[in-house]
Each structure stands twice: as structure tokens, then as C-alpha cells.
Amino acid sequence: MRATEPSYVEPATGYGRVAKVLHWATVLALLAQLTVGYLMEAGDSGRGRGRGRSGGSGRGRGRGGDDEGYDVAERLAAWPEDLVAWHVVLGVTVLLLAVARVAWRRGHGLPPWAATLSSTERRVAHWAERALLTLLFAIPLTGLSLLVAGDDVVALHVASHVAFFAALTAHLGLVLKHQLVDRDRLLRRML
């Protein structure tokens, strides 16, 4: 590194400490949430999406499956070993982090755009961030609605995941382009 280059990003041009903590806590919670969610579906335990412990047909609440409904209290009481309960707790955590992020942004705003972003990249970043923030509400809320409505809303939950991964691809693609191709240290704004 040359002596004339700063070894840090000025606070006025990067995100503040609280915004960074909320961002990375959300990333960790989402990684855990998605991991548990996919483990639920991969296992043969019958515990995915409100299914009973007996390995029911998975058709959901009150529609002829082996399970006679979903007892949230029972699941949460058994949560150390129950993936569904972990999934619910992590979903609520993601939802609470999303609320905290919106509240923080409203009170503190965002830093100025990085000077190296083109106008097109700014539009992509703006819409990707809006979509990601919206989906931080949509994914957990559609997941929690599975507890009430059963598998009737699974298509909406899956669609919110697809939209999330599309927005995440745009977000990460932009960051990686600037980090690896442009080498302008854009990522340091969030580190």
C-alpha cells in the first residue's frame, strides 16, 4: 500500500458502526435461517413446515395428514432439537433485525453514494437494497403464515426466496465487480 492511500474509509463516506452491525447480524441470521430451512426439507423427520413429529404426509394442518395441527408452544418447548422451532426463532430474529434496520435508517439516513458508482449502478444498488429490505419482512412473514395457514402459502414463501436470491445476486454482483474488477474498495464501506 502506498503511503498516500488511506488505510480506512472515512466515516463520512462509509456506513456507521450500528448500520454495519445490523447488516452483518442480518447476514449471519439469514445464513443460519436458510441452512436450517433447507435441512428441514432435506431430512426425512417429517418436521418440515408444520408437519407432525410422526412423519405425516406433509399436506398441512387439517387436511388428512397424520398431524392434527401445529402446536407452536409444543414446538418451541422442544426447540433445542427441533429444526422447525429453530427456524421460527431465526425467522423472528430476521424480522426484528429488519425492523431495527428500517428504524435506524429513518433516524440516521444513508451515507453519500460511493463516488465510483455510475448512475446505472446507483439505480441497481438502490432497487436491490429496497428489494432485499422488503424481502427481509416478506420471507419471515410468509414463513410464519405457514404456521397458521399450512402449506397453502408455501408458494408465496418460495416465491419470496426466489425474489430474495435475485436481488441478492444483483447486490453481490455489484459489490464483487467493484471489489475484484474496479478494485475501488467499495466493500470497505460496510466493513
Side-chain angles (χ1 to χ4, degrees):
M1 177 182 346
R2 289 182 280 173
T4 58
E5 292 180 359
S7 61
Y8 63 95
V9 175
E10 295 291 331
T13 61
Y15 289 85
R17 185 173 296 138
V18 173
K20 290 176 185 179
V21 167
L22 289 171
H23 176 271
W24 293 109
T26 303
V27 169
L28 291 175
L30 281 169
L31 285 173
Q33 172 73 332
L34 292 169
T35 300
V36 170
Y38 291 117
L39 285 174
M40 283 179 359
E41 294 304 311
D44 288 331
S45 68
R47 294 183 185 186
R49 291 197 315 267
R51 294 181 189 123
R53 292 181 188 272
S54 62
S57 68
R59 288 184 289 188
R61 181 178 168 148
R63 279 181 260 137
D66 288 344
D67 94 276
E68 293 299 319
Y70 184 86
D71 186 349
V72 176
E74 176 186 332
R75 284 292 169 114
L76 292 177
W79 79 289
E81 68 273 355
D82 190 335
L83 290 177
V84 172
W86 275 103
H87 199 61
V88 170
V89 169
L90 287 166
V92 170
T93 302
V94 169
L95 196 55
L96 292 173
L97 284 166
V99 169
R101 290 180 74 162
V102 168
W104 184 257
R105 274 191 178 193
R106 286 187 178 256
H108 295 85
L110 295 171
W113 286 108
T116 57
L117 289 174
S118 70
S119 61
T120 300
E121 289 172 331
R122 288 177 185 192
R123 280 192 298 278
V124 169
H126 173 75
W127 287 105
E129 287 175 8
R130 283 187 109 165
L132 288 169
L133 195 53
T134 300
L135 291 161
L136 288 180
F137 288 93
I139 292 172
L141 289 174
T142 58
L144 291 170
S145 68
L146 285 168
L147 299 176
V148 177
D151 287 353
D152 290 341
V153 293
V154 75
L156 190 56
H157 191 55
V158 170
S160 65
H161 280 87
V162 171
F164 173 79
F165 286 119
L168 183 63
T169 299
H171 179 71
L172 291 176
L174 190 59
V175 171
L176 289 174
K177 177 208 178 265
H178 279 269
Q179 192 67 22
L180 302 176
V181 176
D182 298 342
R183 295 179 183 241
D184 60 8
R185 298 181 179 188
L186 182 70
L187 182 59
R188 296 201 63 152
R189 289 170 54 94
M190 191 50 84
L191 293 179

